[in-house]
């Protein structure tokens, strides 16, 4: 089975979730990390190899094999690009058996086999991608407006990314849903700013949620303003209890398209409705996900939501996305504007958030989308660490609710 090589947040024993680390690339012996220049060269050679332009040099083959070997032994991280391209070939071997010339032979064998069998699936994927961007899809009719309508934009972005040449994650449930909905996705298909942001947001949240699940495998997850989110389909370990909460019209559509299950529950209510926590049955750890919501609320509404969670779900861990002030005031995503929705709340980071809307909460981590970009493109890491870039980055705050 193909594994999606998405970086999982490292977990320390002293904290619930450890923030994703920024790694330039894999380790090569005691000398330390491979330089950014070498990592870039390896990626370029891999690109040429995959395009059939030229074979990978023996030196690069050795470096790539050693990097994967170190990662599989647990003695060093591995770059996302190398993991994505080599993981499928390396699964057949145990730690220590996958390096040098043998690694390249396995890559060539896997690539040849894939090319021989995937021509039809590639044509099918292209057809699906084309259909996803057409003005109207045939299927379930969608009758949503304003903020509720914005839930369709990230759905399209995840489906489009899944069908791209080099997806960082795969969401085939989203692809299926886009093909089934009777909705004009043409504006979403043209909005590259929105779709790029959704990809970064998805990778950031997936990493943090996976890190929490790793140490709390039987946790209860409350996904507020869920829309047509499909994270459970990607990350389910078979032991979670999952609640999806959104407005009644959204939940009606979600129930029609995705249904419920023994461990999957739907709550039709506003996030600010004080009664919705009564429907959550949680005997242990609770993780609350608030993705793509706060920018459509006022500061008072955000404060009310945090107070509600603290009162009704004491001790819960919350992952909440916030938009920087600059983008909230001046940013314009054309597909969002087309729905009639507007950005109304911005925040500079965890310190401001806790001092203004969550005074009794404890901030565990402040994870910027820039950190995710740095993991995917190591050579951009120095730029992502610049103070100005940090201030302008959207981020996910990891917070702990007080026990009242």
């Amino acid at each position: 089975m193909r594994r999606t090589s998405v970086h999982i947040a490292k977990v320390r024993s002293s904290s619930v979730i450890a923030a994703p680390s920024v790694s330039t690339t894999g380790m090569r012996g005691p000398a330390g990390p491979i330089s950014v220049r070498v990592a870039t060269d390896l990626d370029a050679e891999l690109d040429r190899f995959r395009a059939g332009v030229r074979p990978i040099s023996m030196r690069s083959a050795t470096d790539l094999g050693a990097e994967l070997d170190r990662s599989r032994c647990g003695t060093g991280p591995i770059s996302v690009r190398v993991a994505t391209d080599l993981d499928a070939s390396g699964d057949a071997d145990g730690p220590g058996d996958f390096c040098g010339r043998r690694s390249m032979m396995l890559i060539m064998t896997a690539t040849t086999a894939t090319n021989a069998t995937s021509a039809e699936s590639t044509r099918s994927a292209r057809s699906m991608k084309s259909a996803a961007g057409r003005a109207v899809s045939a299927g379930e009719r969608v009758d949503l407006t304003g903020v509720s309508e914005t839930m369709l934009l990230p759905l399209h972005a995840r489906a489009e990314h899944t069908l791209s040449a080099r997806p960082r994650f795969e969401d085939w449930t989203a692809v299926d849903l886009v093909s089934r909905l009777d909705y004009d996705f043409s504006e979403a298909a043209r909005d590259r700013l929105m779709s790029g942001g959704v990809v970064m947001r998805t990778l950031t949240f997936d990493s943090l949620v996976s890190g929490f699940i790793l140490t709390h495998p039987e946790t209860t997850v409350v996904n507020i303003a869920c829309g047509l989110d499909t994270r459970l389909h990607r990350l389910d370990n078979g032991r979670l209890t999952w609640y999806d909460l959104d407005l009644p019209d959204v939940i009606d559509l979600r129930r029609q398209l995705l249904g419920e299950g023994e461990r999957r529950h739907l709550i039709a209510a506003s996030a600010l409705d004080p009664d919705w926590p009564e429907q959550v049955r949680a005997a242990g750890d609770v993780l609350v996900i608030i993705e793509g919501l706060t920018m459509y609320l006022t500061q008072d509404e955000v404060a009310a939501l945090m107070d509600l969670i603290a009162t009704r779900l004491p001790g819960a861990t919350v992952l909440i996305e916030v938009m920087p002030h600059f983008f909230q005031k001046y940013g314009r995503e054309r597909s969002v504007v087309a729905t009639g929705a507007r950005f109304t709340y911005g925040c500079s980071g965890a310190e401001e958030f806790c001092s203004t809307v969550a005074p009794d909460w404890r901030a565990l981590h402040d994870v910027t989308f820039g950190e995710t970009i740095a993991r995917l493109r190591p050579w951009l890491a120095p730029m992502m660490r610049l103070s100005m870039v940090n201030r302008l980055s959207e981020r996910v705050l990891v917070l702990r609710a007080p026990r009242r």
Side-chain angles (χ1 to χ4, degrees), residues 82-103:
V82 174
T84 300
D85 289 288
L86 297 186
D87 230 13
S89 300
D91 280 346
D93 295 289
D97 296 332
F98 191 79
C99 60
R101 291 179 61 185
R102 176 160 172 73
S103 68

Side-chain angles (χ1 to χ4, degrees), residues 22 58 119 143 158 168 206 221 226 257 263 279 329:
V22 178
M58 183 52 62
D143 187 18
R158 295 196 308 273
R168 301 296 182 176
D206 278 3
V221 180
C226 62
L257 294 172
R263 294 181 295 106
Q279 301 183 52
K329 292 179 180 178

Side-chain angles (χ1 to χ4, degrees), residues 30 98 107 138 151 180 194 271 292 319 322 341 353:
F98 191 79
I107 297 170
M151 74 172 187
R180 292 166 56 190
M194 178 278 298
L319 308 179
V322 293
F353 190 87

Side-chain angles (χ1 to χ4, degrees), residues 6 10 12 46 48 69 81 89-90 108 128 149 155 187 189 247 252 285 288 293 297 312 323 327 337 341 345 348 395:
V6 177
K10 294 181 180 179
R12 302 188 185 97
L46 196 55
R48 289 192 291 269
D69 204 27
R81 283 288 300 279
S89 300
M108 294 177 191
M128 292 170 70
E149 188 178 358
L155 176 71
E187 197 66 49
L247 297 173
D252 286 344
D285 301 299
V288 179
L293 173 64
L297 302 177
R312 305 298 296 275
M323 177 178 285
F327 198 83
V337 172
Y345 174 76
S348 62
R395 58 192 66 227

Side-chain angles (χ1 to χ4, degrees), residues 281-349:
R281 300 288 181 264
D285 301 299
V286 176
L287 177 67
V288 179
I289 302 172
I290 308 175
E291 178 182 0
L293 173 64
T294 63
M295 61 284 296
Y296 301 112
L297 302 177
T298 65
Q299 180 170 303
D300 288 343
E301 288 173 331
V302 175
L305 174 60
M306 300 307 292
D307 184 67
L308 174 61
I309 295 172
T311 302
R312 305 298 296 275
L313 298 172
T317 300
V318 173
L319 308 179
I320 183 167
E321 178 192 3
V322 293
M323 177 178 285
H325 290 290
F326 181 86
F327 198 83
Q328 178 258 315
K329 292 179 180 178
Y330 304 108
R332 293 293 181 269
E333 294 180 354
R334 56 188 296 175
S335 56
V336 174
V337 172
T339 67
R342 295 291 182 271
F343 299 139
T344 52
Y345 174 76
C347 177
S348 62

